[in-house]
Amino acid sequence: GYGVDFSASRMVSEQNVNVRLFNPYWTDSGVSQDFSIYYDRQIPYKNNITAYRQEGVGAQLKYGIPITQDDQLTVGVGVKHIDVSLGDSPAASIVSFINTYGSNFNEVTTTLGASHDTLDALIFPHQGTSMSVNAQVGLPMSRTLRFYTLTGKVNWFHPLTAAQDWLVHLNLGGAYGRGYGRFGAQLP
């Protein structure tokens, strides 16, 4: 069946609103479809970090393609418009970036990912592993941010007792990213 998800969060330095439509059985072969539209605003100076504000609105479409019962490939595309404005005393690196590249950007991204999941339960698992690796590329189009990121995540659960009332949970994650094209190696 279809799923609809609405989420919103408001913190001192960040606000987000997201509407997501999800169809886990978009095709008879089990391909899933996931569409979301969102708005986000980041205001780092509210946490005494640096004086700028970033606002973005975007949409993303993803498909999950089952390979085996435990393995899935994910492919997707996304678009986002970003406006950046400077505050009273922004960091020199932010001023330099905006002076060089401007303050309004578009992102057109493509995503490719793979996941493996052998958890015994979706909520409160007792044993098994969940792993994912994802690559995202900002496509080289006019006035777009050009970057790539690679992310990985592993969750491992193992019971310490036969009753499974004690367990070990290992959670690892990592990411790497760089800019390319007109941004050089600098991430936008």
Side-chain angles (χ1 to χ4, degrees):
Y2 289 93
V4 177
D5 181 34
F6 174 79
S7 61
S9 67
R10 182 182 162 123
M11 296 174 274
V12 170
S13 64
E14 190 173 333
Q15 293 90 38
N16 299 295
V17 176
N18 185 44
V19 178
R20 178 178 172 236
L21 305 171
F22 180 71
N23 184 351
Y25 301 105
W26 186 65
T27 67
D28 291 338
S29 61
V31 173
S32 62
Q33 183 183 55
D34 190 335
F35 175 73
S36 61
I37 55 174
Y38 57 90
Y39 167 82
D40 59 49
R41 178 172 32 181
Q42 299 171 13
I43 312 169
Y45 70 84
K46 296 274 187 168
N47 281 341
N48 296 319
I49 296 174
T50 189
Y52 78 96
R53 182 174 70 194
Q54 176 180 310
E55 293 186 77
V57 62
Q60 189 170 48
L61 178 64
K62 289 184 184 180
Y63 292 94
I65 304 162
I67 304 302
T68 68
Q69 180 177 340
D70 299 330
D71 302 307
Q72 176 175 290
L73 289 178
T74 303
V75 295
V77 294
V79 295
K80 183 177 182 179
H81 177 75
I82 301 167
D83 289 316
V84 180
S85 57
L86 297 175
D88 292 336
S89 300
S93 61
I94 295 171
V95 172
S96 174
F97 187 88
I98 288 187
N99 287 340
T100 304
Y101 303 111
S103 61
N104 297 304
F105 302 97
N106 295 310
E107 283 182 7
V108 178
T109 59
T110 183
T111 304
L112 178 64
S115 61
H116 175 78
D117 191 333
T118 60
L119 297 179
D120 64 343
L122 184 62
I123 301 174
F124 304 122
H126 293 96
Q127 64 184 10
T129 304
S130 173
M131 298 183 285
S132 66
V133 61
N134 292 288
Q136 183 179 44
V137 176
L139 299 177
M141 303 173 94
S142 177
R143 298 284 303 152
T144 60
L145 295 175
R146 297 171 187 177
F147 64 94
Y148 63 89
T149 59
L150 303 170
T151 58
K153 186 169 56 171
V154 176
N155 276 291
W156 178 74
F157 295 85
H158 184 74
L160 294 176
T161 63
Q164 297 185 347
D165 50 0
W166 290 91
L167 55 100
V168 174
H169 174 211
L170 178 64
N171 181 4
L172 298 172
Y176 177 79
R178 291 182 70 118
Y180 72 91
R182 68 184 178 133
F183 298 106
Q186 180 181 358
L187 267 177

